Amino acid sequence: MDFSKHIQKAEEAFRRRNYDFAAELYRQLVDLDPDLGEARAGLRQALRKRLEAKGGGGKILRAVAGALPLGRAIGLRKLGRHDACARALEDYLRANPLDEEANLLLGKALEDAEHYRSARAVYEFVAEIAPQNPEGLKRAGAMMYRTGDHERALAYYERALAVDPRDQEALKARKNLAAETALSHRDPGAVAHSRELIRDKDHAASLERAQRLHLSEADLRAELARLETAFAANSADPEIMLSLAQVHEKLGDPEAALDVVRRAAQFRKDSLEIVSRVGDLETKVLKRKIARADRAGDAEEAGRLERELLAQEMADGRRRVEIRPGDATLRLQLAKKLLRGGQIDEALGELQRCQAEPRVRDEAAFYMGRCFHEKGILDLARKQYERALETTNGTDDRAKEILYNLGSIAEAEGKTAEARSFFIRIYEVDIGYRDVAAKMGTPD
């Protein structure tokens, strides 16, 4: 399923200050795709703005109301039910969005479930609401590194050290990340010894400037001019290009950033970090174009761009897997994109390659069920759904979707009693789920 329209709808509700509706839409999206980082970040901001709009009062009542889902979340985490834990924490954070400890726990649950982009969004929010919390800053840095944004990872570790200069974890991470970044960006034949990197003071100063998070527009323009001069003198240095792209993006010009990062990719074709940045920027540019077409009322152009965005996301996923073919998480992400794009057989191929990886095997089973269901191979769809159902708690959103799909398969096969047995399990815990009430012969 292509979520771009839904995200745009949520963003529009947010811009209109309809924070209740925006939060509802974002929550629906993260329930459908737990690793939809853009929606997870949007949900954090919508809940925060809603609280601010209501004046932030009633803290005690909110804490009491949230006690049950918070307690449930803690229990689920102990059982290793990370997805269910994350959903329970979202229930709690709906009324207590600025609870930094609960947000940290949410990030950890998402991280344990390997929803790294969502974890990254949550940790960034923790760093925003609790800038003196070194744990949030370090986890944000770790997720930046995990998702290929090494420069921002380094920036978060620097912020953690500004809070606690003696934090050994942050010191070690900064040292390793700085060395890795420097060595990976340099031609090994051009540097005879690592001490030469230390003597390159201009390069070090450039890195320091590029990492600053809070620069005025004048500062950014000055930095842009300095980097353009450096680029003119050395137009084959991908490190300068990446710094240029970062400044362009901070200035609100993702198109210019994309042009520069694409050039950098020609020099470091095997860099997952750069390939990921190209893909992320391509997505950002296309979504801006879609938003402009929507504002102009050009539905035909918006539809064309949405199709282009879907094709771009699939191509981006393929590039990432090509660079790191052994990463089952990347294959699972690609499979989801292929499924949304209607490339069912290719999606199945990727999901089958995930079967040997315990970290993603259960989620892959669910999406394999979806693929077989789309193809009308109902016996195989049922087998995968039943396998995926075993890993749920029987009442969470994923379980309800699986039960509904199993009921639909039974209906298609004319097995009315069996279908009812699946629907009644949903009805028992959520009478408002889809059209279950109607299927049970009761009014909505």
Side-chain angles (χ1 to χ4, degrees):
M1 181 178 179
D2 182 3
F3 294 117
S4 58
K5 279 188 175 180
H6 303 280
I7 288 176
Q8 290 168 27
K9 188 175 181 180
E11 289 173 345
E12 181 61 27
F14 186 90
R15 283 193 295 270
R16 293 179 178 176
R17 301 183 180 180
N18 189 349
Y19 302 125
D20 282 324
F21 188 44
E24 179 184 345
L25 291 174
Y26 282 129
R27 177 62 193 269
Q28 290 173 2
L29 288 169
V30 298
D31 283 345
L32 288 169
D33 185 349
D35 202 25
L36 198 60
E38 188 175 358
R40 190 79 64 173
L43 178 57
R44 306 269 72 74
Q45 297 301 331
L47 292 173
R48 179 183 188 178
K49 287 292 186 181
R50 183 175 70 177
L51 181 64
E52 292 173 355
K54 293 179 179 179
K59 184 175 181 180
I60 295 176
L61 290 175
R62 292 198 308 274
V64 171
L68 183 60
L70 182 59
R72 186 170 69 250
I74 293 170
L76 289 167
R77 180 168 173 77
K78 290 179 180 178
L79 294 172
R81 309 296 295 273
H82 305 303
D83 280 305
C85 173
R87 285 188 286 272
L89 284 166
E90 288 289 16
D91 291 340
Y92 169 76
L93 289 166
R94 183 181 301 161
N96 304 273
L98 302 184
D99 185 327
E100 62 185 84
E101 291 302 322
N103 274 290
L104 269 175
L105 187 60
L106 173 61
K108 292 174 183 176
L110 292 166
E111 189 177 345
D112 289 338
E114 299 184 4
H115 303 314
Y116 298 122
R117 294 190 178 278
S118 268
R120 168 177 167 165
V122 173
Y123 289 136
E124 284 186 278
F125 182 69
V126 173
E128 180 182 335
I129 65 172
Q132 298 302 307
N133 186 326
E135 180 67 15
L137 294 166
K138 288 187 295 182
R139 294 315 311 156
M143 284 302 99
M144 292 296 168
Y145 179 82
R146 179 85 195 199
T147 54
D149 196 341
H150 292 188
E151 292 184 358
R152 292 191 67 196
L154 189 57
Y156 273 104
Y157 284 120
E158 292 285 2
R159 288 179 61 187
L161 287 168
V163 175
D164 183 1
R166 297 182 180 181
D167 189 308
Q168 294 301 308
E169 182 183 354
L171 283 167
K172 182 178 179 180
R174 181 183 65 176
K175 179 180 177 181
N176 292 342
L177 186 57
E180 180 181 329
T181 302
L183 290 172
S184 67
H185 287 185
R186 292 291 180 136
D187 178 1
V191 181
H193 196 281
S194 62
R195 283 178 294 184
E196 290 185 35
L197 293 174
I198 299 174
R199 290 199 294 268
D200 190 350
K201 294 182 179 178
D202 290 339
H203 172 63
S206 172
L207 280 177
E208 182 181 355
R209 283 190 294 269
Q211 300 312 321
R212 293 179 193 161
L213 296 179
H214 305 293
L215 295 175
S216 68
E217 182 173 351
D219 289 334
L220 288 170
R221 295 289 178 191
E223 181 68 1
L224 182 64
R226 189 196 66 75
L227 287 168
E228 286 175 340
T229 299
F231 180 64
N234 187 0
S235 60
D237 186 343
E239 190 169 327
I240 295 174
M241 300 175 205
L242 293 174
S243 296
L244 264 172
Q246 188 178 37
V247 174
H248 278 304
E249 196 168 3
K250 287 182 178 179
L251 285 168
D253 191 349
E255 288 87 355
L258 177 58
D259 288 342
V260 178
V261 174
R262 280 175 172 165
R263 183 178 178 89
Q266 295 174 5
F267 292 89
R268 292 185 11 223
K269 295 181 179 179
D270 295 330
S271 169
L272 180 62
E273 176 188 358
I274 294 181
V275 165
S276 298
R277 287 188 68 180
V278 169
D280 291 344
L281 283 166
E282 286 175 342
T283 297
K284 191 171 186 177
V285 166
L286 282 170
K287 285 183 176 179
R288 281 167 59 116
K289 290 180 178 178
I290 291 169
R292 285 197 291 266
D294 281 338
R295 286 195 295 270
D298 192 341
E300 183 177 349
E301 176 66 2
R304 185 192 69 77
L305 288 167
E306 285 171 359
R307 292 189 293 274
E308 184 179 342
L309 174 61
L310 187 54
Q312 176 272 323
E313 288 178 336
M314 291 188 289
D316 174 38
R318 292 186 185 104
R319 289 194 297 265
R320 299 188 193 204
V321 167
E322 185 177 351
I323 289 175
R324 194 166 292 175
D327 192 325
T329 301
L330 289 179
R331 287 196 179 277
L332 178 60
Q333 291 170 354
L334 171 58
K336 292 178 185 179
K337 295 173 181 176
L338 293 168
L339 181 56
R340 291 199 297 269
Q343 304 299 311
I344 309 301
D345 288 336
E346 189 180 352
L348 268 172
E350 296 299 335
L351 291 166
Q352 287 168 346
R353 292 184 179 94
C354 294
Q355 293 300 293
E357 177 52 68
R359 295 177 304 164
V360 301
R361 185 169 52 211
D362 295 337
E363 188 174 4
F366 167 73
Y367 284 102
M368 285 181 70
R370 289 265 305 271
C371 288
F372 287 129
H373 203 165
E374 289 279 343
K375 290 175 69 67
I377 309 176
L378 301 185
D379 52 344
L380 293 182
R382 182 190 299 106
K383 179 180 178 180
Q384 294 299 329
Y385 282 143
E386 289 173 346
R387 177 180 168 187
L389 185 62
E390 292 175 358
T391 67
T392 71
N393 65 10
T395 60
D396 60 25
D397 289 334
R398 174 60 56 80
K400 286 183 280 189
E401 184 175 359
I402 294 171
L403 289 168
Y404 189 92
N405 291 343
L406 286 169
S408 298
I409 290 173
E411 276 189 328
E413 294 175 334
K415 301 174 181 177
T416 306
E418 182 180 334
R420 182 180 174 83
S421 72
F422 289 119
F423 294 136
I424 201 169
R425 290 169 66 180
I426 304 172
Y427 184 79
E428 184 180 10
V429 296
D430 187 354
I431 191 174
Y433 188 82
R434 299 192 189 181
D435 59 347
V436 164
K439 289 180 179 294
M440 298 302 298
T442 61
D444 291 333

